[in-house]
Amino acid sequence: MDYRLLKRFCMIATLEGISYLLLLGVAMPLKYVWDKPEFVKYAGWAHGVLFVAYAVALIMCWAKYKWSFGKAALIFFASLLPIAPFIVERKLMKEALQNA
């Protein structure tokens, strides 16, 4: 089976997770502790774009790999937690390697 789309999704998941951590761990403290709101503007924008890319890639993977609704929903809700996209990415790549 062709796993190029899954690899792309995993890359997006990693980037989305990094952007979320930067937003929460760097930009938000800069805004509220050091009164630098411009960092939230740019980090938030980048995270928003990556979140939409994550959702689109998830829908494409869901259709192509015929994932169950439950699996797709779990992966989507994982994107709402700061560390979970990294866990999802590792699990999906491990699953793909086992099926290859």
Side-chain angles (χ1 to χ4, degrees):
M1 183 175 266
D2 182 17
Y3 287 104
R4 286 181 290 181
L5 179 60
L6 184 63
K7 288 179 185 178
R8 190 173 310 130
F9 175 72
C10 289
M11 181 187 69
I12 292 168
T14 300
L15 292 173
E16 192 268 342
I18 291 169
S19 73
Y20 198 15
L21 290 175
L22 287 174
L23 180 63
L24 295 176
V26 177
M28 296 297 282
L30 285 172
K31 178 179 180 177
Y32 291 109
V33 176
W34 289 283
D35 196 32
K36 303 281 186 186
E38 60 273 7
F39 292 102
V40 171
K41 177 181 176 182
Y42 299 113
W45 182 85
H47 174 66
V49 168
L50 288 166
F51 182 80
V52 170
Y54 181 95
V56 169
L58 172 59
I59 291 167
M60 293 170 66
C61 285
W62 180 20
K64 181 172 183 169
Y65 302 119
K66 299 183 183 5
W67 290 344
S68 69
F69 175 79
K71 180 176 182 174
L74 186 63
I75 292 170
F76 175 78
F77 287 118
S79 71
L80 303 176
L81 302 172
I83 304 295
F86 303 110
I87 297 167
V88 167
E89 181 269 334
R90 293 188 95 199
K91 184 174 172 100
L92 289 175
M93 288 308 294
K94 187 176 183 180
E95 188 178 296
L97 290 173
Q98 288 174 351
N99 293 334

